[in-house]
Every structure is written in structure tokens, then in C-alpha cells.
Amino acid sequence: MRSEPALRAFRGTTAFLWTEVLVQKNERLAMVTAMLVQSVILVFVYILNPGLLGVAFVGAILFSTFAMGQRVLNEAAYLRIDHKSIDFYLAGPLAPEAYFLGMSLGILVVYIPPVIVVGVLATLIVPLTLATGLLLLGLAAVLWVFSSSLGYVFSTFFRDNRAIWAYSSLFFNVFGVLVPVFYPLGLFPEALRPIVLLMPPSAAAALVQAAIGVTSLTGPQVALALGGLAVETVAIFLFAIYWARRTVRGV
Amino acid sequence: MTETALASVDLRKVYHSRGAPAVEALRGVTMEVRRGERVALLGRNGAGKTTFLKIASTLLKPTSGSVALFGIDVVAQPDRARPYIAVVPQEGKPFFHLCPREQVYTYLRARGLSRETAQSRTAESLERMGLTEVADRLSITLSGGQRQRTMVATVIATEAPLLFLDEPTIGMDPFARRDVWASLRALTQKGSTILLTTHYLDEAEVLSDRLYIVEHGSVLVSGTAEELKRSVGGTLKVTLANGASQVDRFRSFGECVTDGANLTVVVLPHRLGELMELAVRSQLTATVGPVTLEEAFLRAVGRSIDEE
Ligand SMILES: Nc1ncnc2c1ncn2[C@@H]1O[C@H](COP(=O)(O)OP(=O)(O)OP(=O)(O)O)[C@@H](O)[C@H]1O
Ligand SMILES: [Mg+2]
């Protein structure tokens, strides 16, 4: 029965997903504010340079799934610190992996509807083919996996909720807004491009920009962006799975 | 399953935190809880009760020593032990945006219970804890005691083989506390085992089959409430207002404890008359009552449970 422990690790995911959806369902304003940064940027781009609106829409979608990691970070820390949810849920049969995944999926379910609206609008503005559309969707999903895993891991390092808000918004804005996610990679200093191609949100944006012909990437640049994104996402996801179990028990 | 629900041997815990001296929270705790027992840990703030519960419930690593639940070593195999337990953490709160009914139901579902079982257990548990009327209101609108009842209702509904309850009745009114006691008794009758901590001596006395008095990370005494009270050396206590200064005149009657200006003497019934005569002669006002766990606690720890 070698596969049994692996399966057991995810038992309870759906149940905890549902718990998280119920917990979040009353936070309608939060669902709207989750789209605030993206919407404001779209308005600014529309006013300042309507030609870049397509790129900005791509950025808005990628940023939206990336920013879900911030919700996971805040939520995981809040429930653990204020509600003792680890003691309550994980000193029991619910697997820590299921707790982490259920929480992340629950946040995805609750926060995805406005992103779909932006996505539908994007199809009107960005010249997406089936292939580039699927690429955008896939990369948005990859960013969700990356940032939710990172958010969960980060959440375990805090003892106090107040400290988190500052750090998490700094982190998600620097890696999601400052770097070229909403604007073309070509506008970013050339010497620093390899660095932003190694950061998942800007790597994903560059790949979609290249696919829709807004940015031109060399072969090595594509390899760097794609390879970095794949390795980083798989690594942080596997680490989060390991870490979720590791951190049930304090030292 | 073994007949021993919990066995700890020489359990020690030292907390190290940066820039602060190490804290020895547990200094070699050895104890045993048999299946179906209700056992209380009694101790003052900082005695080490929560630390013990956390280690035993797989939430904290001990510095040394061992704890086994139903024969499973929680240090080596926490995953194997977890399915058998449920915990009411100290200062835990129900999710504010769930109502008690959703809270209990989703918790049971997350623990793997079927829809039908979860539904019927939820209704039963809410009823037992007197929450039916507020069952469909968001927990954020509930009072502190109602929230605590929701936590207890959630955990009781699991009917887990071993329940850890850290100050389960804190903030509850006397009626709610009785509901908890009744529910916990019913659970042990069904075969569950319960380890709880409390600061309420009456709760420890009426609820637990046995209790452990903990102080500074060590178990000082253990036994049934009756045994502990008997160890005090009498069954009655006489409190003499402003009698502390005359403590020497009363020492021959039994254990004397001064508390500010007052003096409490523990005495056997056949010497009560004699003591009262002396009190009258000494112009002291006397109040007579039965010996309670309070005296046992004072004797074991040397201080009252609510003394700083
Ligand atoms: N994380 C920690 N780091 C350092 N010291 C700790 C930590 N947790 C507890 N302690 C210390 O360990 C000792 C035992 O604490 P514990 O919480 O087990 O006490 P308790 O008996 O549950 O008290 P209370 O009745 O107040 O809940 C205390 O001196 C406490 O200050
Ligand atoms: Mg405590």
C-alpha cells in the first residue's frame, strides 16, 4: 500500500476548501478591493497611454492570481494566530497538506470571479488567439501555485498579525507591480532584465508579451523565463507541502 | 487499543527564546490516563499545563522524555496519533464568519465524518451546549461565553477517543459549565478519554475522576479529589477572622494556614467543639465549612490557586 500515505495527505482538502469559502463569503468588499490595484493601473494606462492597455490587461490578470498569495499569507497567519486554527484543525485527522491546499483553493474560488470578468474584457482588447489565451491561463495558474505556496510558507514565520500587513503588501507590490508586469519588458533597463526574468510574475508577463508580439525575447531569455518559472514554482510548492506538515508542531 | 490512553514519562520542556533566559516549563512529568477516564491538570498560571497538553497533542516537541497515546509515540509518530485526538486550545476562537452550526458541521466534515453523521452530531452537540437559539448567527455576533461554548461543542461533537481541553469553561456562566460537565461525562460513558486543564477547583472536583496538581513544571500530587482532601488531615475547616496573630494557640488542632490577618484551621469533627470554645475565649469570630480542594491545593503548592 505504497500510495496510501500520499493519498491520505490530501484527504479533507475539499472539506477544508468549503470551510474557507464559507469563511470568506461575507467579505464582499475584500473581493472588490482585491482588484483595486489592477483596476487603478488599468485606468491610469488608459488615460496616459491607451496603446499599452492590452499589455496592462495581461498584467492585471497575472497580478490577480499572483496577489492571491497575499490573501493566503494573511489568512493563514490570521487563522493560526487569532483562532488557533492549527491547534484546532491539525491536532486531528485533517492532513496539514489538505489544510494548506484547501485554504489556497478556497481563496481561489472566492476571488476568481472578478478575475474572470477582467479576463473576458481582456479578450476584447488583447489580440489573443486560442494558443496565447491558453498560455495566459496556464501562466496565471502557475503564478497562483507559486504565490499561494510562498504565502503559506511566509505565514508560518510571523507571531503577530500586525507585522504581516506591512511586509506582505511590500512584497507583493514590489514583485507584482514595480517590475514589468503591467508594462512591456522593453521599457525596463536592459542590464536588469535577466533578474526580472527570474521573478515569476515578470517572467510570466514577458512570456505572454512575447507571444502576443509586444516584446521580443531571445531564445536564451525564453529558456530563462520558462525554466526559472517552472523550477521555482515546483520547488516552492513541494517545499510548502513539506513545510505545512513540519510546522504543525512547534519546537 | 491499549487500556492506557496517555502515558508520559519524565517529560521535560525548556523554551529558548532570543534575548531571554531559557524557561523550564516542564521538569520531568510522568503521568498516566486510562481509557475512559476524565483527568484534570490543576495549577496556577504558568505552571506548565498548556505546555503539557501541547506536547501530548502533537503540537509541540518536548526537550526530552516521551508521551504515548494509545501506545503510539507522539514524538516519533505524530501523524499516527492525530486521528485519535481533538483539542480545545487555550484562547481558541470559532471562525467569526461562520455560524456555530457551520462551524461544527464543517469541522466534522474536515475530520472526515460523513454528511449524515456530521449533521446529526452537529444538531446534538449544539443542543447539548445550549446553542440552538444562536446556531445560525455569525460567531462574531456571539458573546464571549457563547463563542467558548461553540468551541467546546465543536470538539465534543467529534467524539474523538481522546480529547484535550485547555480551560474549556473559561468565561462561561455556571449553567453553561454544568452543560459542559454533563457532555464530558456522557462522552466518557461512550468510551472517550478526557484530559483537561482548569483553574476552577469545583470543576476539577466534580468533573474529574483523578487530578494532578502541577506547579513549576512538576507534578506535586495526584489522586482523586477525595484522596487529596483526605491528605489535608481533617474534614472541616474553621476560618477565624483576624486570628492570624494567635496562630500558635491553634496549632495543636491541625494544619493552620494564615491568609492575611485571617487564620484557617483544618480540624477533625470530634475536636470541633473544643476549637470553638477556644475561639470564643480568644474573642474570635469563627466560620465552619467542609474542607475543599482549595485546602488540598494550598497544602500541596503552598499558595492559593489565584494568588499571584
Ligand atoms: N513559547 C514560549 N516561549 C517561552 N516561554 C514560554 C512559551 N510558552 C510558555 N512559556 C513559559 O512556560 C511556562 C509554562 O507555560 P504554560 O503556558 O504551559 O502554563 P499554563 O500552566 O498553561 O498557564 P496558564 O494557566 O496561565 O494558562 C510559563 O512560565 C511560560 O511563561
Ligand atoms: Mg495554559
Side-chain angles (χ1 to χ4, degrees), chain A residues 128-189:
Chain A
L128 287 173
T129 62
L130 183 64
T132 51
L134 286 176
L135 179 71
L136 175 60
L137 209 64
L139 289 173
V142 168
L143 285 185
W144 172 74
V145 174
F146 175 83
S147 72
S148 299
S149 307
L150 194 68
Y152 190 82
V153 171
F154 265 19
S155 79
T156 62
F157 296 119
F158 291 89
R159 285 189 169 194
D160 168 22
N161 274 312
R162 249 194 293 176
I164 295 177
W165 297 325
Y167 284 105
S168 78
S169 107
L170 181 76
F171 178 85
F172 283 91
N173 283 307
V174 166
F175 292 100
V177 179
L178 196 63
V179 294
V181 172
F182 288 89
Y183 60 92
L185 181 69
L187 298 180
F188 199 73

Short mmCIF file of all heavy atoms in Angstrom, two decimals, chain A residues 128-189:
data_model
loop_
_atom_site.label_atom_id
_atom_site.label_comp_id
_atom_site.label_asym_id
_atom_site.label_seq_id
_atom_site.Cartn_x
_atom_site.Cartn_y
_atom_site.Cartn_z
N LEU A 128 -5.87 38.03 -28.58
CA LEU A 128 -5.50 36.68 -28.11
C LEU A 128 -5.97 35.62 -29.09
O LEU A 128 -7.12 35.65 -29.55
CB LEU A 128 -6.13 36.40 -26.75
CG LEU A 128 -5.55 37.13 -25.52
CD1 LEU A 128 -6.41 36.86 -24.30
CD2 LEU A 128 -4.12 36.70 -25.25
N THR A 129 -5.08 34.69 -29.43
CA THR A 129 -5.51 33.51 -30.17
C THR A 129 -5.82 32.43 -29.13
O THR A 129 -5.60 32.64 -27.93
CB THR A 129 -4.38 33.00 -31.07
OG1 THR A 129 -3.27 32.63 -30.22
CG2 THR A 129 -3.94 34.08 -32.05
N LEU A 130 -6.27 31.29 -29.59
CA LEU A 130 -6.52 30.20 -28.66
C LEU A 130 -5.22 29.84 -27.91
O LEU A 130 -5.20 29.68 -26.70
CB LEU A 130 -7.06 28.97 -29.40
CG LEU A 130 -7.41 27.79 -28.49
CD1 LEU A 130 -8.54 28.15 -27.54
CD2 LEU A 130 -7.76 26.56 -29.31
N ALA A 131 -4.13 29.78 -28.69
CA ALA A 131 -2.85 29.39 -28.09
C ALA A 131 -2.37 30.42 -27.07
O ALA A 131 -2.00 30.08 -25.95
CB ALA A 131 -1.80 29.20 -29.18
N THR A 132 -2.40 31.70 -27.43
CA THR A 132 -1.91 32.70 -26.47
C THR A 132 -2.87 32.83 -25.29
O THR A 132 -2.44 33.08 -24.16
CB THR A 132 -1.73 34.08 -27.15
OG1 THR A 132 -2.94 34.41 -27.85
CG2 THR A 132 -0.57 34.07 -28.13
N GLY A 133 -4.16 32.61 -25.55
CA GLY A 133 -5.13 32.63 -24.46
C GLY A 133 -4.84 31.53 -23.45
O GLY A 133 -4.84 31.74 -22.24
N LEU A 134 -4.57 30.33 -23.98
CA LEU A 134 -4.26 29.20 -23.09
C LEU A 134 -2.94 29.43 -22.35
O LEU A 134 -2.81 29.07 -21.18
CB LEU A 134 -4.19 27.90 -23.89
CG LEU A 134 -5.55 27.34 -24.33
CD1 LEU A 134 -5.37 26.10 -25.20
CD2 LEU A 134 -6.43 27.03 -23.13
N LEU A 135 -1.99 30.05 -23.05
CA LEU A 135 -0.70 30.36 -22.39
C LEU A 135 -0.94 31.29 -21.20
O LEU A 135 -0.43 31.07 -20.10
CB LEU A 135 0.25 31.01 -23.40
CG LEU A 135 1.62 31.41 -22.83
CD1 LEU A 135 2.47 30.18 -22.55
CD2 LEU A 135 2.36 32.36 -23.77
N LEU A 136 -1.74 32.33 -21.44
CA LEU A 136 -2.05 33.29 -20.37
C LEU A 136 -2.72 32.59 -19.19
O LEU A 136 -2.36 32.77 -18.03
CB LEU A 136 -2.95 34.40 -20.92
CG LEU A 136 -3.47 35.44 -19.92
CD1 LEU A 136 -2.33 36.17 -19.24
CD2 LEU A 136 -4.38 36.45 -20.63
N LEU A 137 -3.68 31.74 -19.51
CA LEU A 137 -4.41 31.00 -18.47
C LEU A 137 -3.46 30.10 -17.67
O LEU A 137 -3.48 30.08 -16.43
CB LEU A 137 -5.48 30.14 -19.16
CG LEU A 137 -6.72 29.83 -18.37
CD1 LEU A 137 -7.50 31.10 -18.06
CD2 LEU A 137 -7.59 28.85 -19.16
N GLY A 138 -2.61 29.39 -18.43
CA GLY A 138 -1.66 28.48 -17.79
C GLY A 138 -0.69 29.23 -16.89
O GLY A 138 -0.44 28.82 -15.75
N LEU A 139 -0.18 30.35 -17.38
CA LEU A 139 0.79 31.10 -16.58
C LEU A 139 0.11 31.73 -15.35
O LEU A 139 0.71 31.81 -14.28
CB LEU A 139 1.48 32.16 -17.44
CG LEU A 139 2.45 31.58 -18.48
CD1 LEU A 139 2.97 32.67 -19.41
CD2 LEU A 139 3.62 30.88 -17.80
N ALA A 140 -1.14 32.15 -15.53
CA ALA A 140 -1.87 32.69 -14.37
C ALA A 140 -2.02 31.60 -13.32
O ALA A 140 -1.85 31.84 -12.11
CB ALA A 140 -3.24 33.20 -14.81
N ALA A 141 -2.28 30.37 -13.75
CA ALA A 141 -2.41 29.25 -12.81
C ALA A 141 -1.08 28.96 -12.13
O ALA A 141 -1.02 28.72 -10.91
CB ALA A 141 -2.91 28.01 -13.55
N VAL A 142 0.00 29.02 -12.91
CA VAL A 142 1.32 28.78 -12.33
C VAL A 142 1.63 29.84 -11.26
O VAL A 142 2.12 29.53 -10.17
CB VAL A 142 2.41 28.79 -13.43
CG1 VAL A 142 3.81 28.85 -12.82
CG2 VAL A 142 2.27 27.56 -14.32
N LEU A 143 1.31 31.08 -11.55
CA LEU A 143 1.56 32.14 -10.57
C LEU A 143 0.74 31.93 -9.31
O LEU A 143 1.19 32.20 -8.19
CB LEU A 143 1.23 33.52 -11.16
CG LEU A 143 2.23 34.08 -12.16
CD1 LEU A 143 1.82 35.50 -12.55
CD2 LEU A 143 3.65 34.09 -11.58
N TRP A 144 -0.47 31.41 -9.49
CA TRP A 144 -1.30 31.12 -8.32
C TRP A 144 -0.65 30.05 -7.44
O TRP A 144 -0.56 30.21 -6.22
CB TRP A 144 -2.70 30.67 -8.76
CG TRP A 144 -3.51 30.18 -7.62
CD1 TRP A 144 -4.09 30.95 -6.65
CD2 TRP A 144 -3.78 28.82 -7.27
NE1 TRP A 144 -4.72 30.14 -5.72
CE2 TRP A 144 -4.53 28.84 -6.09
CE3 TRP A 144 -3.45 27.59 -7.86
CZ2 TRP A 144 -4.98 27.66 -5.46
CZ3 TRP A 144 -3.89 26.44 -7.24
CH2 TRP A 144 -4.65 26.48 -6.06
N VAL A 145 -0.16 29.00 -8.08
CA VAL A 145 0.51 27.93 -7.31
C VAL A 145 1.73 28.51 -6.60
O VAL A 145 1.94 28.29 -5.40
CB VAL A 145 0.96 26.77 -8.24
CG1 VAL A 145 1.78 25.74 -7.45
CG2 VAL A 145 -0.24 26.11 -8.89
N PHE A 146 2.52 29.27 -7.34
CA PHE A 146 3.74 29.84 -6.78
C PHE A 146 3.43 30.73 -5.57
O PHE A 146 3.97 30.55 -4.48
CB PHE A 146 4.47 30.66 -7.85
CG PHE A 146 5.69 31.38 -7.32
CD1 PHE A 146 6.90 30.73 -7.20
CD2 PHE A 146 5.60 32.71 -6.93
CE1 PHE A 146 8.02 31.39 -6.72
CE2 PHE A 146 6.71 33.38 -6.43
CZ PHE A 146 7.93 32.72 -6.32
N SER A 147 2.52 31.69 -5.77
CA SER A 147 2.34 32.67 -4.71
C SER A 147 1.55 32.12 -3.53
O SER A 147 1.79 32.49 -2.39
CB SER A 147 1.68 33.93 -5.27
OG SER A 147 0.34 33.68 -5.55
N SER A 148 0.63 31.19 -3.78
CA SER A 148 -0.10 30.60 -2.65
C SER A 148 0.86 29.79 -1.78
O SER A 148 0.79 29.82 -0.55
CB SER A 148 -1.23 29.70 -3.14
OG SER A 148 -2.15 30.45 -3.89
N SER A 149 1.76 29.06 -2.43
CA SER A 149 2.74 28.27 -1.67
C SER A 149 3.64 29.20 -0.87
O SER A 149 3.88 28.98 0.32
CB SER A 149 3.60 27.43 -2.62
OG SER A 149 2.78 26.67 -3.48
N LEU A 150 4.13 30.24 -1.55
CA LEU A 150 5.02 31.18 -0.88
C LEU A 150 4.29 31.87 0.27
O LEU A 150 4.83 32.03 1.37
CB LEU A 150 5.50 32.22 -1.89
CG LEU A 150 6.67 33.07 -1.47
CD1 LEU A 150 7.93 32.22 -1.38
CD2 LEU A 150 6.89 34.22 -2.46
N GLY A 151 3.04 32.27 0.02
CA GLY A 151 2.26 32.94 1.05
C GLY A 151 2.09 32.06 2.27
O GLY A 151 2.25 32.50 3.40
N TYR A 152 1.79 30.79 2.04
CA TYR A 152 1.59 29.88 3.18
C TYR A 152 2.89 29.72 3.97
O TYR A 152 2.90 29.78 5.19
CB TYR A 152 1.07 28.51 2.72
CG TYR A 152 0.64 27.69 3.90
CD1 TYR A 152 -0.62 27.88 4.47
CD2 TYR A 152 1.50 26.79 4.52
CE1 TYR A 152 -1.01 27.17 5.59
CE2 TYR A 152 1.12 26.09 5.64
CZ TYR A 152 -0.13 26.27 6.17
OH TYR A 152 -0.52 25.59 7.29
N VAL A 153 3.99 29.53 3.24
CA VAL A 153 5.28 29.36 3.93
C VAL A 153 5.62 30.62 4.72
O VAL A 153 5.97 30.54 5.91
CB VAL A 153 6.40 29.03 2.91
CG1 VAL A 153 7.77 29.06 3.58
CG2 VAL A 153 6.16 27.67 2.27
N PHE A 154 5.47 31.77 4.11
CA PHE A 154 5.74 33.04 4.80
C PHE A 154 4.91 33.17 6.08
O PHE A 154 5.37 33.66 7.09
CB PHE A 154 5.39 34.22 3.89
CG PHE A 154 6.54 34.78 3.12
CD1 PHE A 154 7.70 34.04 2.94
CD2 PHE A 154 6.48 36.05 2.58
CE1 PHE A 154 8.77 34.55 2.23
CE2 PHE A 154 7.55 36.58 1.85
CZ PHE A 154 8.69 35.82 1.68
N SER A 155 3.66 32.76 5.97
CA SER A 155 2.74 32.97 7.10
C SER A 155 3.24 32.29 8.37
O SER A 155 2.94 32.71 9.47
CB SER A 155 1.35 32.45 6.75
OG SER A 155 1.31 31.04 6.90
N THR A 156 4.03 31.24 8.21
CA THR A 156 4.46 30.49 9.39
C THR A 156 5.56 31.21 10.16
O THR A 156 5.89 30.81 11.27
CB THR A 156 4.99 29.09 8.98
OG1 THR A 156 6.13 29.27 8.13
CG2 THR A 156 3.93 28.29 8.25
N PHE A 157 6.14 32.25 9.56
CA PHE A 157 7.25 32.92 10.24
C PHE A 157 6.81 34.05 11.17
O PHE A 157 7.63 34.66 11.83
CB PHE A 157 8.26 33.47 9.22
CG PHE A 157 8.91 32.37 8.42
CD1 PHE A 157 8.78 32.31 7.05
CD2 PHE A 157 9.63 31.38 9.06
CE1 PHE A 157 9.38 31.30 6.32
CE2 PHE A 157 10.23 30.36 8.35
CZ PHE A 157 10.10 30.31 6.96
N PHE A 158 5.54 34.35 11.17
CA PHE A 158 5.08 35.51 11.94
C PHE A 158 4.39 35.09 13.23
O PHE A 158 3.70 34.08 13.27
CB PHE A 158 4.11 36.35 11.11
CG PHE A 158 4.78 37.07 9.97
CD1 PHE A 158 4.89 36.46 8.73
CD2 PHE A 158 5.30 38.34 10.14
CE1 PHE A 158 5.51 37.11 7.67
CE2 PHE A 158 5.92 39.00 9.08
CZ PHE A 158 6.02 38.38 7.86
N ARG A 159 4.59 35.89 14.26
CA ARG A 159 3.90 35.63 15.51
C ARG A 159 2.81 36.66 15.76
O ARG A 159 2.07 36.58 16.73
CB ARG A 159 4.88 35.70 16.69
CG ARG A 159 5.75 34.50 16.76
CD ARG A 159 6.51 34.55 18.04
NE ARG A 159 7.19 33.29 18.28
CZ ARG A 159 7.70 32.95 19.44
NH1 ARG A 159 7.61 33.78 20.45
NH2 ARG A 159 8.30 31.81 19.59
N ASP A 160 2.79 37.68 14.91
CA ASP A 160 1.92 38.81 15.15
C ASP A 160 1.36 39.28 13.82
O ASP A 160 2.11 39.48 12.86
CB ASP A 160 2.76 39.91 15.83
CG ASP A 160 2.04 41.23 15.88
OD1 ASP A 160 0.79 41.23 15.79
OD2 ASP A 160 2.71 42.27 16.01
N ASN A 161 0.05 39.43 13.75
CA ASN A 161 -0.59 39.81 12.50
C ASN A 161 -0.20 41.20 12.01
O ASN A 161 -0.17 41.44 10.82
CB ASN A 161 -2.10 39.79 12.67
CG ASN A 161 -2.63 38.41 12.41
OD1 ASN A 161 -2.28 37.79 11.43
ND2 ASN A 161 -3.46 37.91 13.31
N ARG A 162 0.06 42.08 12.96
CA ARG A 162 0.29 43.45 12.55
C ARG A 162 1.55 43.58 11.70
O ARG A 162 1.62 44.39 10.78
CB ARG A 162 0.35 44.38 13.75
CG ARG A 162 -0.86 45.29 13.77
CD ARG A 162 -0.66 46.42 14.72
NE ARG A 162 -0.63 45.91 16.09
CZ ARG A 162 -0.39 46.68 17.13
NH1 ARG A 162 -0.19 47.96 16.96
NH2 ARG A 162 -0.37 46.17 18.33
N ALA A 163 2.55 42.77 12.02
CA ALA A 163 3.80 42.84 11.27
C ALA A 163 3.59 42.39 9.82
O ALA A 163 4.28 42.84 8.91
CB ALA A 163 4.84 41.96 11.95
N ILE A 164 2.63 41.48 9.62
CA ILE A 164 2.47 40.87 8.30
C ILE A 164 2.00 41.85 7.25
O ILE A 164 2.49 41.85 6.13
CB ILE A 164 1.45 39.73 8.38
CG1 ILE A 164 2.03 38.64 9.26
CG2 ILE A 164 1.12 39.18 7.00
CD1 ILE A 164 1.11 37.52 9.48
N TRP A 165 1.02 42.67 7.63
CA TRP A 165 0.39 43.51 6.62
C TRP A 165 1.41 44.36 5.89
O TRP A 165 1.39 44.46 4.67
CB TRP A 165 -0.73 44.33 7.28
CG TRP A 165 -1.79 43.44 7.81
CD1 TRP A 165 -2.20 42.26 7.23
CD2 TRP A 165 -2.56 43.56 9.00
NE1 TRP A 165 -3.17 41.66 8.00
CE2 TRP A 165 -3.41 42.44 9.09
CE3 TRP A 165 -2.62 44.52 10.01
CZ2 TRP A 165 -4.31 42.25 10.14
CZ3 TRP A 165 -3.50 44.34 11.05
CH2 TRP A 165 -4.34 43.20 11.12
N ALA A 166 2.34 44.93 6.65
CA ALA A 166 3.37 45.77 6.04
C ALA A 166 4.23 44.95 5.07
O ALA A 166 4.38 45.29 3.91
CB ALA A 166 4.23 46.38 7.13
N TYR A 167 4.76 43.82 5.56
CA TYR A 167 5.66 43.02 4.74
C TYR A 167 4.97 42.47 3.51
O TYR A 167 5.52 42.47 2.42
CB TYR A 167 6.23 41.84 5.54
CG TYR A 167 7.30 42.24 6.51
CD1 TYR A 167 7.03 42.30 7.87
CD2 TYR A 167 8.58 42.56 6.06
CE1 TYR A 167 8.01 42.68 8.77
CE2 TYR A 167 9.56 42.93 6.96
CZ TYR A 167 9.27 42.99 8.31
OH TYR A 167 10.25 43.36 9.19
N SER A 168 3.75 41.97 3.70
CA SER A 168 3.12 41.28 2.58
C SER A 168 2.78 42.26 1.48
O SER A 168 2.97 41.98 0.30
CB SER A 168 1.89 40.49 3.02
OG SER A 168 0.79 41.33 3.21
N SER A 169 2.33 43.46 1.84
CA SER A 169 1.97 44.37 0.77
C SER A 169 3.23 44.90 0.07
O SER A 169 3.25 45.08 -1.14
CB SER A 169 1.02 45.44 1.28
OG SER A 169 1.64 46.65 1.38
N LEU A 170 4.30 45.06 0.83
CA LEU A 170 5.59 45.45 0.23
C LEU A 170 6.02 44.40 -0.79
O LEU A 170 6.30 44.69 -1.95
CB LEU A 170 6.65 45.59 1.32
CG LEU A 170 8.05 46.01 0.85
CD1 LEU A 170 8.07 47.49 0.53
CD2 LEU A 170 9.11 45.70 1.89
N PHE A 171 6.02 43.16 -0.34
CA PHE A 171 6.48 42.06 -1.19
C PHE A 171 5.66 41.95 -2.48
O PHE A 171 6.20 41.89 -3.57
CB PHE A 171 6.41 40.75 -0.40
CG PHE A 171 6.83 39.55 -1.21
CD1 PHE A 171 8.17 39.20 -1.30
CD2 PHE A 171 5.90 38.79 -1.89
CE1 PHE A 171 8.56 38.11 -2.06
CE2 PHE A 171 6.28 37.70 -2.65
CZ PHE A 171 7.63 37.36 -2.73
N PHE A 172 4.34 41.93 -2.31
CA PHE A 172 3.51 41.68 -3.48
C PHE A 172 3.48 42.88 -4.43
O PHE A 172 3.33 42.70 -5.63
CB PHE A 172 2.11 41.23 -3.06
CG PHE A 172 2.11 39.79 -2.64
CD1 PHE A 172 2.33 39.43 -1.31
CD2 PHE A 172 1.96 38.78 -3.57
CE1 PHE A 172 2.38 38.10 -0.92
CE2 PHE A 172 2.00 37.44 -3.20
CZ PHE A 172 2.21 37.10 -1.87
N ASN A 173 3.68 44.06 -3.91
CA ASN A 173 3.71 45.21 -4.80
C ASN A 173 5.05 45.34 -5.53
O ASN A 173 5.08 45.67 -6.71
CB ASN A 173 3.36 46.49 -4.06
CG ASN A 173 1.85 46.58 -3.83
OD1 ASN A 173 1.09 46.45 -4.78
ND2 ASN A 173 1.45 46.73 -2.59
N VAL A 174 6.14 45.03 -4.83
CA VAL A 174 7.45 45.11 -5.49
C VAL A 174 7.53 44.07 -6.60
O VAL A 174 7.90 44.37 -7.74
CB VAL A 174 8.59 44.92 -4.47
CG1 VAL A 174 9.92 44.67 -5.19
CG2 VAL A 174 8.70 46.15 -3.58
N PHE A 175 7.15 42.82 -6.29
CA PHE A 175 7.31 41.75 -7.28
C PHE A 175 6.16 41.67 -8.27
O PHE A 175 6.27 40.98 -9.27
CB PHE A 175 7.54 40.41 -6.58
CG PHE A 175 8.85 40.36 -5.87
CD1 PHE A 175 8.93 40.55 -4.50
CD2 PHE A 175 10.01 40.18 -6.60
CE1 PHE A 175 10.15 40.55 -3.86
CE2 PHE A 175 11.24 40.18 -5.96
CZ PHE A 175 11.31 40.36 -4.59
N GLY A 176 5.07 42.38 -7.98
CA GLY A 176 3.93 42.29 -8.88
C GLY A 176 3.65 43.57 -9.65
O GLY A 176 2.99 43.54 -10.68
N VAL A 177 4.12 44.72 -9.15
CA VAL A 177 3.77 45.99 -9.79
C VAL A 177 5.01 46.73 -10.30
O VAL A 177 5.02 47.22 -11.44
CB VAL A 177 3.01 46.91 -8.80
CG1 VAL A 177 2.67 48.23 -9.48
CG2 VAL A 177 1.74 46.22 -8.32
N LEU A 178 6.04 46.78 -9.47
CA LEU A 178 7.22 47.56 -9.83
C LEU A 178 7.92 46.99 -11.06
O LEU A 178 8.28 47.71 -11.98
CB LEU A 178 8.18 47.58 -8.62
CG LEU A 178 9.26 48.64 -8.65
CD1 LEU A 178 8.65 50.03 -8.63
CD2 LEU A 178 10.18 48.47 -7.43
N VAL A 179 8.11 45.68 -11.05
CA VAL A 179 8.78 45.01 -12.18
C VAL A 179 7.83 44.99 -13.38
O VAL A 179 6.63 45.22 -13.23
CB VAL A 179 9.19 43.57 -11.77
CG1 VAL A 179 10.24 43.60 -10.69
CG2 VAL A 179 7.98 42.79 -11.32
N PRO A 180 8.33 44.74 -14.59
CA PRO A 180 7.45 44.81 -15.76
C PRO A 180 6.41 43.69 -15.82
O PRO A 180 6.66 42.63 -16.37
CB PRO A 180 8.41 44.72 -16.95
CG PRO A 180 9.67 44.17 -16.40
CD PRO A 180 9.74 44.51 -14.96
N VAL A 181 5.27 43.94 -15.20
CA VAL A 181 4.14 43.02 -15.30
C VAL A 181 3.04 43.74 -16.06
O VAL A 181 2.45 43.19 -16.99
CB VAL A 181 3.64 42.60 -13.90
CG1 VAL A 181 2.34 41.80 -14.00
CG2 VAL A 181 4.71 41.79 -13.18
N PHE A 182 2.83 45.01 -15.71
CA PHE A 182 1.78 45.81 -16.35
C PHE A 182 2.30 46.58 -17.57
O PHE A 182 1.54 47.19 -18.27
CB PHE A 182 1.20 46.81 -15.35
CG PHE A 182 0.33 46.17 -14.30
CD1 PHE A 182 0.88 45.72 -13.10
CD2 PHE A 182 -1.03 46.00 -14.51
CE1 PHE A 182 0.08 45.13 -12.13
CE2 PHE A 182 -1.84 45.42 -13.54
CZ PHE A 182 -1.28 44.98 -12.36
N TYR A 183 3.61 46.60 -17.74
CA TYR A 183 4.19 47.33 -18.88
C TYR A 183 5.20 46.43 -19.58
O TYR A 183 5.68 45.45 -18.99
CB TYR A 183 4.82 48.64 -18.41
CG TYR A 183 5.93 48.51 -17.39
CD1 TYR A 183 7.27 48.42 -17.80
CD2 TYR A 183 5.66 48.46 -16.03
CE1 TYR A 183 8.28 48.29 -16.87
CE2 TYR A 183 6.67 48.32 -15.09
CZ TYR A 183 7.98 48.24 -15.52
OH TYR A 183 8.98 48.11 -14.60
N PRO A 184 5.58 46.75 -20.82
CA PRO A 184 6.44 45.85 -21.59
C PRO A 184 7.85 45.73 -21.00
O PRO A 184 8.39 46.72 -20.49
CB PRO A 184 6.50 46.49 -22.97
CG PRO A 184 5.35 47.43 -23.02
CD PRO A 184 5.11 47.89 -21.63
N LEU A 185 8.39 44.55 -21.13
CA LEU A 185 9.75 44.29 -20.66
C LEU A 185 10.74 45.26 -21.31
O LEU A 185 11.72 45.66 -20.69
CB LEU A 185 10.14 42.84 -21.00
CG LEU A 185 11.53 42.38 -20.56
CD1 LEU A 185 11.61 42.26 -19.04
CD2 LEU A 185 11.89 41.03 -21.20
N GLY A 186 10.43 45.65 -22.57
CA GLY A 186 11.32 46.54 -23.31
C GLY A 186 11.52 47.89 -22.64
O GLY A 186 12.51 48.58 -22.91
N LEU A 187 10.61 48.29 -21.77
CA LEU A 187 10.75 49.59 -21.08
C LEU A 187 11.61 49.46 -19.82
O LEU A 187 11.82 50.44 -19.11
CB LEU A 187 9.37 50.15 -20.72
CG LEU A 187 8.43 50.46 -21.89
CD1 LEU A 187 7.10 51.00 -21.38
CD2 LEU A 187 9.08 51.46 -22.84
N PHE A 188 12.05 48.24 -19.53
CA PHE A 188 12.83 48.01 -18.30
C PHE A 188 14.32 48.03 -18.64
O PHE A 188 14.71 47.56 -19.72
CB PHE A 188 12.44 46.64 -17.72
CG PHE A 188 12.80 46.48 -16.27
CD1 PHE A 188 12.09 47.16 -15.29
CD2 PHE A 188 13.85 45.65 -15.90
CE1 PHE A 188 12.41 47.00 -13.95
CE2 PHE A 188 14.18 45.50 -14.56
CZ PHE A 188 13.46 46.17 -13.59
N PRO A 189 15.19 48.59 -17.79
CA PRO A 189 16.63 48.65 -18.08
C PRO A 189 17.17 47.29 -18.52
O PRO A 189 16.95 46.29 -17.85
CB PRO A 189 17.24 49.07 -16.73
CG PRO A 189 16.15 49.76 -16.01
CD PRO A 189 14.86 49.17 -16.50
#
